Amino acid sequence: MSEMSDLYQELILDHKRNPRNFRDMPDATRAVDGHNPLCGDQLRLFVKVADGRVEDVSFIGVGCAISVASASMLTEAVRGKTVEEAQRLFAEMHDLLTSDHPHTDPAELGSLGALAGVHEYPMRVKCATLSWHTLDTALTGDEESVTTE
Amino acid sequence: MSAAVLSTPTGSWDVERVRRDFPVLGQQVHGHPLAYLDNAATTQKPQTVVEALDHYYHHDNSNVHRGVHALAERATRDFEGARESVRRFINARSTREIVFLRGTTEAINLVASSFGQGLREGDEVILTAMEHHANIVPWQLLRERTGIVLRVVPITPSGELDLDALPGLFGPRTRLLALTHASNALGTINPVESIIKAAHEHEVPVLLDGAQAVPHLRVDVQALDCDFYAFSGHKLFGPTGIGVLYGRERLLEAMPPYQGGGEMIRTVSFEKTTFAGLPHRFEAGTPDIAGAIGLGRAIEYLESLDWEGAMAHEARLLDHATERLQAVPGLRIIGQAHEKVPLVSFVMDDVHPHDMGTILDHRGLAVRAGHHCAMPVMTFYRVPATSRASMAFYNTFDEIDRLAEALRYAREMLA
Ligand SMILES: Cc1ncc(COP(=O)(O)O)c(C=O)c1O
């Protein structure tokens, strides 16, 4: 069994205590609700896309430390990226968090690599992937909401 | 600290001896001794129950009520013997009033669909704001089918029923009051005797959801004078897959069958089918024979214990847990009723129940985090979820102290 501190790394706790880009976005081009019915986590992710680029991204909501930190780190990671780059990042995060033999090297993901420890906690993986699925829907889908069910 | 508490004599209750009856409790989880504090979700099974299942499948496995061979006779005898154990345990008048089903959920669904067939548009069923979804959704489904009206007894901030509101809810079209005997989300034990009296004055029958009450209280359906009583075997130290509906014979007699099939008929032709008598009329298909036998054994096990000693131990555990948890900074107990079954629901500032669950699990402490299938209760307290430590007679003061200590640690780490 891994240590508690592998899951709750300082970086994750810092994002949980001071979530970045935690705000409403009235001029968003897309706003999507993400819901994890199992634990009641609920967030709303806003993106502003212009010329194929994510100009701004923010979120509001309530959730556990893992889901809030993951959403907060997501906003820092995808701001300024092209839609294609953001989608590639979603695919890499999904791989890192959910597959038993991820092809993605956490070291290459910068601070997002801190979330890799979640993989050891199967009951918590959905907490970390919620914001990423919400982002994917915001960028590529047309639904107004996603759930982890 | 914990040593001092442990050495305090706990009446005549020998918790260490009882724990030896439950081998599962002896294991390590993540390098710590397991402290199983999720008994409201399901209880552990004593060795004797596991042996009863094992014995049935090794020696007696057969279908019931169908064969004349030796195995069928033994299986039928033990299955019906378990029904008699259940009858004795809740003091029903007759085994005709004891229906074996999958659990509390199925028992309530049976009443909603069968008793519910007698209800018409505009008829009213009274529920309470502290019900488990199992005692809400079946009535909503009935509402969709027939247009009944649901009325809800509100709760007070301490987590008790607001009984001042009850008289105003009875009306000429009230057909049933369905409420929980004890709340799984708050722990509240409801004053069901006086509620049943009030309902009967209005000629309204009462269904009690006893899922959380039977493991902790002596239940006597005749003394309570309730009309239906539902509970699950797996929360009563028995197997999953088996549960009980007690129904007053006069009411059951008048109710149409719930499901159709084998076991529940007397004669079948394509023109006309006549149904079996009680309770088999409500038991279509092959039942969970092993489960019923296991439940019967669980009841015999409980009857072999010093029940008063067990209850006194549980009351002390609840007091101890309430005191210890209340002293943890940032912690708020949800549900502070005067009468409670031994469970404590709580939230902690800045620590989400899910993070709490993971941190506690890491120390071998099994608690439940979530909405406890009682979302209206969560809405009332404006929390998305709570953590819940729920105890049984085999828990120890030391386990509670470990919990309190881990909660302090969680807060230091996350807040
Ligand atoms: C009060 C209450 N009612 C009903 C149920 C449903 O029981 P089961 O899932 O065994 O049918 C539960 C169990 O969670 C409960 O606590």
Side-chain angles (χ1 to χ4, degrees):
Chain A
M1 191 67 195
S2 54
E3 289 301 311
M4 247 325 53
S5 53
D6 292 344
L7 179 63
Y8 294 110
Q9 296 190 17
E10 252 331 298
L11 184 64
I12 288 181
L13 293 176
D14 181 57
H15 275 269
K16 181 252 174 195
R17 293 187 190 111
N18 308 296
R20 323 292 200 266
N21 303 302
F22 191 77
R23 57 182 156 81
D24 202 350
M25 193 193 295
D27 60 344
T29 50
R30 286 271 287 154
V32 176
D33 290 321
H35 184 208
N36 181 346
L38 188 69
C39 48
D41 289 354
Q42 197 129 30
L43 63 85
R44 191 168 173 78
L45 189 85
F46 304 93
V47 289
K48 189 156 88 184
V49 177
D51 300 330
R53 197 171 282 279
V54 181
E55 279 195 345
D56 196 9
V57 48
S58 70
F59 78 108
I60 54 175
V62 288
C64 65
I66 303 300
S67 71
V68 170
S70 178
S72 170
M73 293 163 86
L74 173 153
T75 63
E76 287 198 320
V78 302
R79 154 138 356 99
K81 288 212 161 38
T82 65
V83 169
E84 286 73 40
E85 286 166 342
Q87 281 176 273
R88 206 172 314 131
L89 197 54
F90 162 71
E92 285 171 348
M93 285 305 288
H94 196 262
D95 174 51
L96 183 70
L97 295 170
T98 64
S99 45
D100 285 337
H101 306 287
H103 304 296
T104 313
D105 178 1
E108 285 174 12
L109 288 173
S111 62
L112 287 175
L115 288 166
V118 175
H119 183 257
E120 299 300 312
Y121 297 83
M123 306 288 281
R124 304 302 303 277
V125 167
K126 284 177 173 178
C127 307
T129 55
L130 176 63
S131 56
W132 291 91
H133 281 291
T134 313
L135 173 74
D136 184 46
T137 301
L139 295 179
T140 62
D142 51 14
E143 299 90 350
E144 299 297 320
S145 63
V146 283
T147 85
T148 53
E149 292 279 273
Chain B
M1 188 94 222
S2 58
V5 170
L6 260 185
S7 63
T8 317
T10 54
S12 59
W13 188 248
D14 186 348
V15 68
E16 289 309 325
R17 209 204 70 206
V18 163
R19 288 177 71 83
R20 285 196 291 277
D21 296 335
F22 294 81
V24 72
L25 295 176
Q27 69 187 287
Q28 302 272 312
V29 169
H30 306 320
H32 299 270
L34 166 67
Y36 186 76
L37 296 167
D38 195 16
N39 292 286
T42 198
T43 50
Q44 298 300 340
K45 323 305 173 199
Q47 182 74 28
T48 183
V49 167
V50 181
E51 282 167 7
L53 300 177
D54 190 74
H55 179 91
Y56 170 75
Y57 284 121
H58 268 115
H59 301 282
D60 302 335
N61 175 54
S62 174
N63 215 323
V64 287
H65 309 130
R66 286 179 196 184
V68 292
H69 55 81
L71 270 60
E73 265 170 37
R74 292 206 294 262
T76 305
R77 178 198 63 204
D78 292 351
F79 179 73
E80 291 301 330
R83 198 189 306 275
E84 168 57 21
S85 296
V86 171
R87 185 208 62 75
R88 191 176 62 236
F89 187 64
I90 60 171
N91 194 31
R93 288 167 203 83
S94 151
T95 51
R96 292 164 57 79
E97 301 181 313
I98 306 296
V99 183
F100 278 133
L101 296 158
R102 270 195 302 132
T104 310
T105 303
E106 191 176 26
I108 298 174
N109 274 279
L110 185 156
V111 178
S113 49
S114 173
F115 180 84
Q117 272 190 46
L119 271 52
R120 299 284 162 266
E121 186 174 348
D123 282 348
E124 296 173 4
V125 172
I126 302 177
L127 308 174
T128 86
M130 66 169 81
E131 296 311 309
H132 187 280
H133 297 165
N135 196 29
I136 300 175
V137 184
W139 305 107
Q140 292 174 327
L141 294 175
L142 179 64
R143 178 171 66 185
E144 273 168 34
R145 288 198 299 272
T146 60
I148 60 162
V149 175
L150 299 179
R151 301 196 167 272
V152 181
V153 185
I155 53 176
T156 66
S158 68
E160 294 177 331
L161 289 179
D162 181 0
L163 291 177
D164 293 341
L166 184 62
L169 294 175
F170 289 112
R173 306 223 33 199
T174 311
R175 296 287 174 255
L176 185 75
L177 167 59
L179 82 157
T180 196
H181 194 170
S183 156
N184 69 310
L186 300 167
T188 314
I189 300 172
N190 288 316
V192 291
E193 291 88 346
S194 62
I195 293 173
I196 291 168
K197 263 203 192 77
H200 285 177
E201 275 163 25
H202 292 86
E203 290 175 24
V204 171
V206 178
L207 176 150
L208 293 181
D209 170 351
Q212 297 296 339
V214 278
H216 306 292
L217 307 172
R218 258 191 205 292
V219 171
D220 178 331
V221 292
Q222 292 190 61
L224 286 173
D225 201 25
C226 59
D227 301 278
F228 298 105
Y229 199 96
F231 65 95
S232 300
H234 71 97
K235 295 184 200 278
L236 190 66
F237 312 96
T240 54
I242 188 77
V244 172
L245 174 69
Y246 157 82
R248 197 188 286 279
E249 186 166 345
R250 179 171 52 77
L251 290 173
L252 289 182
E253 278 291 1
M255 282 159 52
Y258 166 54
Q259 294 177 332
E263 299 274 344
M264 56 78 71
I265 50 84
R266 192 161 284 142
T267 60
V268 174
S269 71
F270 281 102
E271 289 69 42
K272 180 161 176 61
T273 290
T274 56
F275 302 119
L278 294 177
H280 302 108
R281 174 141 49 96
F282 293 107
E283 295 180 353
T286 301
D288 185 346
I289 304 165
I293 292 171
L295 173 58
R297 184 67 69 84
I299 287 172
E300 285 163 23
Y301 172 77
L302 292 172
E303 288 170 335
S304 77
L305 296 176
D306 162 19
W307 187 255
E308 303 309 322
M311 297 306 97
H313 178 71
E314 288 192 354
R316 278 187 295 265
L317 282 174
L318 176 62
D319 286 348
H320 189 68
T322 305
E323 193 182 307
R324 280 300 153 92
L325 266 54
Q326 231 151 19
V328 175
L331 187 144
R332 176 160 70 103
I333 293 179
I334 303 286
Q336 313 230 37
H338 284 295
E339 298 279 338
K340 283 176 69 173
V341 290
L343 71 81
V344 183
S345 245
F346 56 92
V347 291
M348 188 181 264
D349 294 346
D350 297 322
V351 182
H352 190 281
H354 240 195
D355 295 312
M356 184 78 85
T358 298
I359 292 169
L360 297 182
D361 174 59
H362 221 257
R363 293 183 163 210
L365 296 152
V367 304
R368 171 93 187 267
H371 53 58
H372 314 294
C373 298
M375 282 179 151
V377 174
M378 302 297 120
T379 306
F380 178 78
Y381 286 99
R382 298 173 194 278
V383 294
T386 72
S387 303
R388 179 186 70 190
S390 55
M391 295 156 275
F393 52 67
Y394 46 55
N395 288 117
T396 67
F397 295 94
D398 184 53
E399 290 174 325
I400 304 299
D401 293 340
R402 281 172 55 202
L403 173 64
E405 151 72 21
L407 292 173
R408 285 171 195 272
Y409 166 78
R411 176 156 163 96
E412 269 165 36
M413 178 155 117
L414 288 180

